[in-house]
Amino acid sequence: MAPPHISIQIPYPKTFDFDQCLFYLDRGYDECLYEIRAGKLTAAIEREGNIYLFTLSKKGSSLYLQINQGQRTPNLDKALREHITKWFDLGRDLTAFYELLFAEKTCASLAQQYHGLHLMGIPDMFEALCWSIIGQQINLQFAYRLKRRLVERYGRSIRYEGKSWYVFPHPSKLKHADPTELKHMQFSRQKITYLLALAKAFDSGTISTQHLTALSSHEAKQRFLTQHKGIGIWTANYVLMKTIRESDSIPYGDSGLVQALKNFKVIQDKREHEKTNAFFRPYVGWQSYLSFYLWRSLYDA
DNA sequence: TCCCAGGTGTCGA
DNA sequence: TCGACACATGGG
């Protein structure tokens, strides 16, 4: 175990506010892959077959990452740094986005209320796709419960101070999951079919982040994803936004997005597609961020 | 009981 | 291409 005083420093851009991000991560759902307590984030991560536990906190103008469990190596330091940078989108400065919000006026309050909130990603594409499928057409509370059952049954874990810390199940493990068992865990037949097919596709290499990022256009990426059963346009856009951080990936039709647009009086009905498009048009380059901020606004509505 | 929730697939016009 | 509908389950 690494001595507790050893920690990795991770710098962040001036538009970043750790507390805003922690608030988003800790919205009161039964999250099973990390824990937030007293301004610190603790989570497990799997690298090169080993599971490590780390805690992330803020001191001054840097984030500090402490490894609680697992042997520390230079490779691990680098991997953790990359993981946090991807998860919190630390490579991005939001100044231009805030200028746009102020210029467009309709949602200018977002720039003030959530200043420093970065788009919280899901770096692992398999996890992002599974999570999208789990969450389709059910309420988030139930979706989190299903995720917990899946993770605790098929995910690897590490013990630390009397508690198990899980990482998301690996495709090679999930592809062998028993459909009957998943049914007992309250997964619908559709979700079971989609999840098992997805696990097989990842395990065989049919779907991979490398394949996806190699495609040239947003449309090509959408097509690549939506040819798989269970992945529709909403899921494709959600994953492109959360995993490879496409800047203009709007999850059209999303019920939360529709609600937020109604709250801001942009639309009155979800079928007002042209009004929605016109609203998003000036935000090219930041449409994913705008969608994310609109989701965030729902928790204060 | 009814409607909705961070949808998707299928079918028929 | 588009709308209607089935799927599936919990919460308000």
Side-chain angles (χ1 to χ4, degrees):
Chain A
M1 186 164 93
H5 64 277
I6 294 180
S7 57
I8 305 166
Q9 186 180 1
I10 304 174
Y12 56 74
K14 65 177 187 296
T15 56
F16 176 78
D17 184 332
F18 189 50
D19 294 328
Q20 283 281 6
C21 296
L22 286 194
F23 183 91
Y24 188 84
L25 290 176
D26 194 19
R27 287 165 292 160
Y29 293 111
D30 181 29
E31 174 58 59
C32 58
L33 293 175
Y34 56 79
E35 187 178 288
I36 290 161
R37 196 171 285 177
K40 294 181 177 183
L41 167 71
T42 303
I45 185 172
E46 187 170 6
R47 283 295 179 274
E48 296 173 340
N50 299 313
I51 302 180
Y52 305 91
L53 187 70
F54 66 84
T55 295
L56 188 68
S57 57
K58 188 182 80 169
K59 277 180 209 153
S61 58
S62 286
L63 295 178
Y64 286 87
L65 195 147
Q66 180 187 310
I67 298 161
N68 304 319
Q69 187 80 295
Q71 202 55 250
R72 193 171 179 226
T73 65
N75 278 349
L76 177 64
D77 284 16
K78 184 167 176 282
L80 284 170
R81 209 185 290 274
E82 284 174 0
H83 178 68
I84 298 300
T85 302
K86 276 188 190 167
W87 191 4
F88 286 81
D89 200 23
L90 294 179
R92 202 181 304 267
D93 184 299
L94 306 187
T95 305
F97 174 51
Y98 294 146
E99 285 172 357
L100 258 179
L101 281 169
F102 283 123
E104 290 299 317
K105 295 187 176 64
T106 311
C107 298
S109 60
L110 293 175
Q112 292 172 313
Q113 271 185 281
Y114 311 124
H115 195 276
L117 173 64
H118 277 222
L119 201 165
M120 301 310 303
I122 304 176
D124 178 59
M125 186 161 76
F126 179 61
E127 179 187 335
L129 279 167
C130 288
W131 174 231
S132 305
I133 287 167
I134 290 170
Q136 284 167 4
Q137 198 54 18
I138 57 173
N139 65 66
L140 272 180
Q141 199 173 334
F142 184 48
Y144 274 97
R145 203 182 309 159
L146 290 180
K147 183 170 90 163
R148 176 177 287 281
R149 288 174 189 159
L150 191 81
V151 166
E152 292 185 349
R153 174 65 183 82
Y154 303 104
R156 293 181 65 201
S157 66
I158 188 171
R159 290 287 291 180
Y160 183 68
E161 294 182 346
K163 176 176 158 65
S164 291
W165 298 82
Y166 289 86
V167 293
F168 196 79
H170 198 268
S172 61
K173 173 83 175 177
L174 197 58
K175 75 171 186 177
H176 294 301
D178 176 9
T180 310
E181 193 171 36
L182 288 166
K183 195 80 188 68
H184 286 309
M185 291 156 73
Q186 288 185 289
F187 284 83
S188 68
R189 281 197 303 275
Q190 268 182 333
K191 287 190 199 299
I192 294 168
T193 306
Y194 297 159
L195 289 173
L196 294 182
L198 197 61
K200 285 176 189 149
F202 266 85
D203 192 53
S204 67
T206 311
I207 309 181
S208 68
T209 311
Q210 289 80 354
H211 273 124
L212 189 69
T213 49
L215 296 167
S216 57
S217 69
H218 186 76
E219 288 67 31
K221 287 169 183 152
Q222 283 181 340
R223 274 198 303 276
F224 173 76
L225 289 172
T226 53
Q227 66 186 332
H228 296 91
K229 295 279 186 193
I231 305 175
I233 195 71
W234 177 89
T235 301
N237 281 320
Y238 179 85
V239 168
L240 291 173
M241 169 201 289
K242 296 285 241 180
T243 301
I244 65 165
R245 297 194 171 280
E246 290 268 298
S247 55
D248 294 315
S249 200
I250 306 166
Y252 287 108
D254 179 274
S255 58
L257 194 60
V258 167
Q259 188 54 53
L261 291 173
K262 284 181 183 173
N263 293 345
F264 278 98
K265 306 202 183 322
V266 174
I267 57 171
Q268 289 181 302
D269 187 280
K270 63 180 177 184
R271 287 163 294 189
E272 292 175 279
H273 303 307
E274 188 38 50
K275 277 189 183 174
T276 303
N277 288 335
F279 170 72
F280 272 99
R281 207 166 287 136
Y283 291 94
V284 169
W286 296 100
Q287 291 173 340
S288 297
Y289 256 89
L290 180 56
S291 305
F292 183 71
Y293 268 57
L294 287 168
W295 274 334
R296 170 64 185 84
S297 72
L298 294 171
Y299 293 90
D300 289 322

